[in-house]
Amino acid sequence: MLERHHLAIIHAVDKHGTLTEAANALHLTQSALSHGIKKLEVHLGAPVWQKDGRRLRLTQAGQGLLNLANRVLPQFEHSEQVIQQIAQGQRGALRIGMECHPCYQWLLKVVSPFLQQYPDVDVDVRQAFQFGGLGALLGYDIDMLVTPDPLFQKGLEYLPVFEYEHVLVVPESHPVAGQSWVQPQDLSDDVLITYPVEASRLDIFSQFLTPAGASVKRHRTIETTEIMLQMVSAGRGVSALPKWLVEQHQKDLPIVPVRLGKKGIFKNIHLGFRAGEARPEYQNTFIEIAKKTDHLI
């Protein structure tokens, strides 16, 4: 059977010209090299080289093997390098699932320096509304789940990487714009604009309005953060977003963040993983960059 070491021998003989030099280059004994080629010649039914004085000259069959060796051996070497880089955490793919609409803006701050540091690692991001986050993580469809609301269960582990305050967003002309904080009843005449997520999963309902038995005039949904904030700035309603995200848009829009309740609502962005798995180097680097996003935002 033709194997890789046969091609390496043919290549070395053509390069060095003698059996001795070829054996030295391959760190083999001459007898081992010669024996391996004799077995190949029996298998092929044709000689691969002939002696020409002290040197070896490839036959037509040997030349055909050399052509193959010149094509295949570099591919073997490249594949081995790639696999070694994967094993060392220098190359691969990081598949990230998102269970948080505004977290996407945060993620961009992490991905940019990460891609610069790991040019051979690809990043793929999947939005929560396109898949089931926990199922995708447990089913090996993604490697990491970004969520502000971790669901702790067997087989999963979460790391908090970024703390933020969840605030009410109002236009500058709103009656509560000058207040330090708002009560749930203050929103009874407002249109609340949120992402298209069921109300029970929205913090402004689950942690603010519902426990107080309060409600808003109307609830409507918008998918994009930018349009949502444009609507708020135009006085079409109020919203609830991470404070850092609101502050980023304040320089361009007449909007104001207001604390939800006297104590506020504070949350963490978590990264979820399958428990007990060894993580490649680039995943650990991603985590470290994520933990340092305070100075990036």
Side-chain angles (χ1 to χ4, degrees):
M1 183 181 295
L2 180 62
E3 298 180 6
R4 178 184 177 182
H5 72 275
H6 295 132
L7 298 179
I9 291 172
I10 296 296
H11 184 268
V13 166
D14 178 71
K15 180 178 180 181
H16 298 285
T18 69
L19 202 62
T20 300
E21 292 180 11
N24 290 338
L26 295 174
H27 305 289
L28 296 172
T29 64
Q30 290 186 46
S31 60
L33 188 151
S34 181
H35 181 69
I37 290 300
K38 284 181 180 178
K39 289 182 65 175
L40 176 63
E41 289 177 329
V42 171
H43 174 72
L44 295 176
V48 297
W49 62 46
Q50 294 177 341
K51 287 189 176 181
D52 186 5
R54 295 182 63 251
R55 301 184 68 81
L56 296 175
R57 179 172 55 83
L58 294 178
T59 63
Q60 185 175 358
Q63 193 64 49
L65 291 176
L66 177 63
N67 293 338
L68 177 63
N70 288 335
R71 295 196 307 271
V72 172
L73 290 178
Q75 295 179 31
F76 271 114
E77 293 173 3
H78 175 70
S79 296
E80 286 178 338
Q81 291 175 358
V82 169
I83 292 170
Q84 288 173 357
Q85 289 175 338
I86 291 173
Q88 296 167 2
Q90 297 294 325
R91 179 187 289 265
L94 181 57
R95 300 165 302 166
I96 303 172
M98 299 285 295
E99 276 196 337
C100 167
H101 285 74
C103 292
Y104 190 83
Q105 304 296 325
W106 167 86
L107 182 62
L108 294 177
K109 303 293 184 179
V110 183
V111 168
S112 179
F114 174 80
L115 290 177
Q116 293 178 18
Q117 189 166 342
Y118 287 92
D120 293 319
V121 176
D122 294 328
V123 174
D124 180 25
V125 179
R126 304 181 187 184
Q127 295 284 354
F129 50 80
Q130 296 173 335
F131 74 107
L134 292 180
L137 186 57
L138 290 171
Y140 292 83
D141 292 323
I142 58 174
D143 307 302
M144 178 189 304
L145 180 65
V146 179
T147 177
D149 302 301
L151 181 59
F152 293 92
Q153 66 180 63
K154 186 177 180 180
L156 297 177
E157 61 179 350
Y158 295 91
L159 297 175
V161 292
F162 180 68
E163 184 180 17
Y164 65 93
E165 182 178 1
H166 202 63
V167 297
L168 184 72
V169 194
V170 300
E172 290 181 346
S173 58
H174 196 281
V176 303
Q179 298 178 193
S180 300
W181 54 279
V182 294
Q183 300 181 77
Q185 293 75 17
D186 293 334
L187 306 185
S188 58
D189 294 327
D190 285 296
V191 174
L192 178 62
I193 305 172
T194 73
Y195 295 110
V197 178
E198 57 187 88
S200 61
R201 296 183 59 196
L202 293 168
D203 295 315
I204 192 166
F205 282 105
S206 64
Q207 297 193 45
F208 189 66
L209 293 171
T210 303
S215 62
V216 293
K217 181 179 180 180
R218 187 160 64 94
H219 176 208
R220 62 170 302 182
T221 61
I222 293 178
E223 287 196 4
T224 61
T225 303
E226 290 75 14
I227 298 300
M228 185 185 298
L229 290 175
Q230 289 283 351
M231 293 287 284
V232 171
S233 69
R236 305 291 183 86
V238 299
S239 188
L241 292 167
K243 186 177 181 180
W244 64 266
L245 183 58
V246 179
E247 290 175 340
Q248 282 190 352
H249 288 271
Q250 268 190 291
K251 61 179 180 293
D252 300 316
L253 297 171
I255 54 178
V256 179
V258 184
R259 175 162 289 182
L260 288 166
K262 191 172 183 179
K263 295 182 178 180
I265 297 176
F266 292 87
K267 299 183 64 80
N268 269 291
I269 291 177
H270 291 75
L271 301 182
F273 303 92
R274 290 178 291 274
E277 280 194 0
R279 288 191 284 268
E281 176 189 310
Y282 59 80
Q283 276 198 26
N284 291 324
T285 300
F286 186 95
I287 293 169
E288 292 306 311
I289 295 175
K291 289 179 178 178
K292 298 175 182 177
T293 46
D294 282 345
H295 73 280
L296 297 175
I297 292 175

